[in-house]
């Protein structure tokens, strides 16, 4: 486990607060992020099933939302059972989020997708967890994939 900084970022290393307090703060951050995922999943269920966008395979999207809910349930259970914070596990969760959002955006219109805002949520949560410099590990792949989407949409 890495130590915690005064600003509460989970990847900072500083001896200014105890490791136990830092670990609890980072675990609380992860729990808050899993709760936010439930909000996004509920929003997508309502958005897709009430608006019933023409030409969209609603059955496929509902299946993917069920998968997302199971994924988030697994993360919620894992985080609640953790006794100490693990940066590697948080990075795994973050990259899984990034891949799920990227696939969703790709299949819902690329750069014209109404779900493009989900990338901003992924970037925001990486900034909350790791600060600006630490979140570059997530920002770089997202930038590359967005560049791919731009070229894909042009051709």
């Amino acid at each position: 486990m890495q130590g915690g900084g005064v600003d509460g970022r989970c990847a900072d290393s500083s001896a200014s607060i105890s490791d136990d307090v830092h670990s609890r703060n980072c675990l609380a951050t992860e729990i808050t992020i899993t709760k936010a995922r439930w909000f996004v999943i509920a929003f997508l269920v309502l958005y897709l099933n009430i608006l019933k966008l023409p030409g969209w395979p609603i059955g496929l999207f509902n299946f993917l939302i069920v998968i997302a809910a199971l994924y988030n349930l697994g993360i919620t259970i894992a985080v609640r059972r953790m006794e100490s914070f693990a940066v590697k596990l948080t990075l795994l969760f973050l990259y899984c989020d990034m891949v799920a959002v990227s696939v969703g955006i790709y299949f819902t219109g690329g750069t014209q997708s109404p779900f493009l805002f989900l990338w901003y949520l992924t970037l925001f949560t990486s900034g909350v967890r790791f600060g600006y410099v630490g979140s570059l590990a997530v920002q770089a792949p997202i930038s590359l994939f967005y560049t791919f989407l731009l070229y894909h949409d042009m051709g």
Side-chain angles (χ1 to χ4, degrees), residues 40-133:
V40 171
I41 290 169
F43 168 77
L44 291 175
V45 166
L46 293 174
Y47 182 79
L48 293 172
N49 289 294
I50 291 175
L51 290 181
K52 297 191 191 257
L53 302 172
W56 285 38
I58 299 300
L60 174 64
F61 287 128
N62 284 332
F63 174 73
L64 293 175
I65 288 172
V66 168
I67 299 268
L70 291 172
Y71 162 76
N72 197 46
L73 180 63
I75 289 176
T76 302
I77 291 169
V79 168
R80 290 188 186 272
R81 288 186 178 174
M82 291 171 84
E83 293 182 15
S84 65
F85 176 74
V87 173
K88 290 179 182 178
L89 191 58
T90 298
L91 281 172
L92 175 66
F93 295 159
L94 198 54
Y95 279 113
C96 287
D97 289 350
M98 184 181 65
V99 168
V101 169
S102 298
V103 168
I105 288 172
Y106 179 78
F107 287 111
T108 59
T111 57
Q112 304 302 317
S113 173
F115 305 117
L116 202 56
F117 75 94
L118 292 174
W119 262 350
Y120 298 111
L121 292 176
T122 303
L123 292 174
F124 175 76
T125 60
S126 70
V128 167
R129 290 168 169 150
F130 302 114
Y132 174 72
V133 175

Side-chain angles (χ1 to χ4, degrees), residues 7-30:
D7 60 3
R9 293 188 184 120
C10 295
D12 288 347
S13 58
S14 172
S16 61
I17 61 174
S18 75
D19 285 344
D20 184 49
V21 171
H22 173 69
S23 180
R24 283 195 313 254
N25 288 343
C26 292
L27 286 173
T29 300
E30 290 302 316

